[in-house]
């Protein structure tokens, strides 16, 4: 009778994640975030819109580096780096939560990165004040990688929690 109460552990990876019926929500949010990213990256006014936020982030990095006693903190990231990192990490995280297998997570991450590079290249054609910058592409890659790692970490933690919960009790 104990064996009927025991469930096999969920598969490791995105396939074992919770909220199967709700995966459309992060997918729709990822589409909205991607559309917002398009507007931000192809808008000539975006640097001015986000300059105050980015300046605060950069100032915080400089203050933290000074507080730790680092005389020359090295190259403090440009303001644009922070914005690119955050917007692509969010899109990757949301679309990653909507995927259901490791291959689909990898494919989604590669698609998000490719799209981010294409949008960066489109700035040359569709904007007058924005330009293609290698640092932005690097920030996009770091953001996508961090978003992917966050989804993978969530999947592993959820799997460990689910496996422990479904283990038979003595």
């Amino acid at each position: 009778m104990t064996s009927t109460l025991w469930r096999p552990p969920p598969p490791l990876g995105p396939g074992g994640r919770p909220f199967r019926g709700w995966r459309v929500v992060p997918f729709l949010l990822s589409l909205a975030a991607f559309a917002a990213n398009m507007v931000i990256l192809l808008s000539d006014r975006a640097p001015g819109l986000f300059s105050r936020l980015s300046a605060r982030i950069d100032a915080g990095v400089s203050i933290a580096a000074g507080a730790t006693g680092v005389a020359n903190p090295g190259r403090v990231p440009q303001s644009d780096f922070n914005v690119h990192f955050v917007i692509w990490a969010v899109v990757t995280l949301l679309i990653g939560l909507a995927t259901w297998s490791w291959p689909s997570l990898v494919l989604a991450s590669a698609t998000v990165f490719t799209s981010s590079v294409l949008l960066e290249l489109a700035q040359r054609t569709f904007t007058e004040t924005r330009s293609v910058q290698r640092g932005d592409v690097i920030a996009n890659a770091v953001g996508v990688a961090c978003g992917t790692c966050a989804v993978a970490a969530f999947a592993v933690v959820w799997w460990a929690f689910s496996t422990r919960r479904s283990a038979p009790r003595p």
Side-chain angles (χ1 to χ4, degrees), residues 19-58:
F19 317 122
R20 290 177 190 232
W22 290 92
R23 71 181 184 172
V24 72
V25 173
F27 178 72
L28 292 175
L29 289 173
S30 71
L31 292 178
F34 185 81
N37 291 356
M38 280 181 44
V39 169
I40 291 167
L41 293 176
L42 297 178
S43 169
D44 285 334
R45 296 185 196 134
L49 178 66
F50 293 104
S51 64
R52 187 179 313 163
L53 172 65
S54 296
R56 292 174 90 177
I57 293 171
D58 288 345

Side-chain angles (χ1 to χ4, degrees), residues 1-154:
M1 191 167 278
T2 310
S3 63
T4 59
L5 297 176
W6 182 77
R7 296 177 298 177
L12 173 62
R17 284 195 316 232
F19 317 122
R20 290 177 190 232
W22 290 92
R23 71 181 184 172
V24 72
V25 173
F27 178 72
L28 292 175
L29 289 173
S30 71
L31 292 178
F34 185 81
N37 291 356
M38 280 181 44
V39 169
I40 291 167
L41 293 176
L42 297 178
S43 169
D44 285 334
R45 296 185 196 134
L49 178 66
F50 293 104
S51 64
R52 187 179 313 163
L53 172 65
S54 296
R56 292 174 90 177
I57 293 171
D58 288 345
V61 169
S62 296
I63 290 169
T68 59
V70 178
N72 183 1
R75 205 176 124 206
V76 175
Q78 296 295 322
S79 299
D80 215 21
F81 184 95
N82 300 324
V83 173
H84 282 265
F85 169 80
V86 169
I87 65 177
W88 292 112
V90 167
V91 168
T92 306
L93 176 67
L94 289 170
I95 201 149
L97 291 174
T99 62
W100 292 103
S101 67
W102 290 115
S104 65
L105 176 60
V106 171
L107 180 63
S109 298
T111 302
V112 169
F113 176 68
T114 302
S115 300
S116 76
V117 171
L118 291 175
L119 278 173
E120 187 68 29
L121 294 173
Q123 289 178 353
R124 180 177 24 206
T125 305
F126 296 113
T127 66
E128 295 177 14
T129 60
R130 308 243 4 204
S131 62
V132 177
Q133 296 177 357
R134 183 181 310 151
D136 292 347
V137 173
I138 292 169
N140 298 352
V142 172
V144 169
C146 286
T148 303
C149 289
V151 171
F154 175 75

Side-chain angles (χ1 to χ4, degrees), residues 5-10 161-168:
L5 297 176
W6 182 77
R7 296 177 298 177
F161 176 74
S162 296
T163 302
R164 184 174 165 201
R165 189 177 61 185
S166 66

